[in-house]
Amino acid sequence: MSLTLYVDGARFRANQKRVLAAQPRVVPVAKGNGYGLGNPRLALEAAEMGVDTLAVGTYDELAQVADTFPGSLLVLTPWRPFAPQVANDRVIHTVSRIEDLNALLAHQPGARVVLERRTSMLRHGLSARELRSAADVMAATPQARLEGVAFHLPMAGASPLSEVRRLMTDVVASGLPQTTIWVSHLSDSELADLARSWPDYVIRPRIGTDLWLGDRGALQVRATVLDSHAVERGDMFGYRGRSAPKNGTILVVSGGTAQGIGLEAPTGANTLKARASAIARGGMDAAGFVRSPYSIGGKQRLFAEPPHMQASMLFLTQGSPVPEVGEEIEVRVRFTATLFDRVEIR
Ligand SMILES: *Cc1c(COP(=O)(O)O)cnc(C)c1O
């Protein structure tokens, strides 16, 4: 009855070993929907990997991992005065504004702190000058524990190495003691390059996607066929009472808006040009049917109408293979945006 994520455990863990072998100082990231697998499961995997630190996205997510993962817990979203107060010594706070650094240390002088330096992303972070002020604040609070400086880098465009070099110059000039540099979205060779250039710093990559989803072949998503109804041209169906443009089958499958099944397939012919050529062919999509992420017999199928909360209705034209009720069919989803009913690792 479910939208299920099937994980080939051996391949999933072989990929983790590959990442760990290339980056022994990796900080796994468990956040959001846990990359489809759920944060509690990722905490267990990280514990088994033997890493010393796990990163979560938010303070609210700490509870999902803290019982399972025994090491340090880095919160990626910067601390704010309105953040839930946690006085857990395993937690490392990310701090991105001087006023927050002062407020956090006033409250918790022995806090473990990573200072975030702003990058071209412009999401959060201190300017070069603010980083120097932060160094003064840290020096004036001897109990405060500096755990490093973080850079969150953009993913697209040219190699971010030249930007990282400029940022490293700021760190060196800030007056902070030599420390750990936490980075995201750098390749193995870029990380090796940094380690060579700044041997007095420990470079630690925070990795989510490549660690958990790096071997897509280890992951399969399947929905269950819940019902099927033969229809003739003109028959009515669905919430909107539309009529079938041709003879065929309405197939009801598990997965809907509650699981994050979108109206549009995550990839595929979504361009205007592709639409125009579909209309020129007089295909079903010309009748207003939108391509779904569900496929049968290797072919992506069309939604009969927009997905419902926990089920979707597909339209199969006459002659297409019709799977039995209870059979599973493949679904193409974005792992970071899908809430699976079940995750089966085997
Ligand atoms: C999500 C996140 C990461 C991990 O990103 P992936 O692309 O999943 O590897 C690293 N750093 C920060 C600050 C993040 O928010």
Side-chain angles (χ1 to χ4, degrees), residues 29 31 35 76 123 152 155 184-185 206-210:
V29 175
K31 67 181 179 186
Y35 293 81
L76 296 170
R123 193 160 81 177
H152 190 42
M155 286 197 271
S184 55
H185 303 143
R206 299 166 302 198
I207 306 179
T209 305
D210 193 38

Side-chain angles (χ1 to χ4, degrees), residues 25 300 322:
R25 295 181 188 280
Q300 246 180 302
V322 180

Side-chain angles (χ1 to χ4, degrees), residues 158-219:
S159 159
L161 260 192
S162 57
E163 177 171 7
V164 174
R165 290 182 180 288
R166 284 196 303 278
L167 297 168
M168 280 304 297
T169 309
D170 298 340
V171 174
V172 172
S174 69
L176 288 169
Q178 281 151 357
T179 184
T180 301
I181 306 294
W182 311 72
V183 293
S184 55
H185 303 143
L186 292 178
S187 67
D188 289 347
S189 69
E190 289 164 341
L191 288 162
D193 195 306
L194 288 184
R196 269 195 307 276
S197 302
W198 284 278
D200 300 330
Y201 289 79
V202 174
I203 315 280
R204 300 200 66 172
R206 299 166 302 198
I207 306 179
T209 305
D210 193 38
L211 183 61
W212 311 123
L213 306 176
D215 181 1
R216 290 299 165 105
L219 308 168

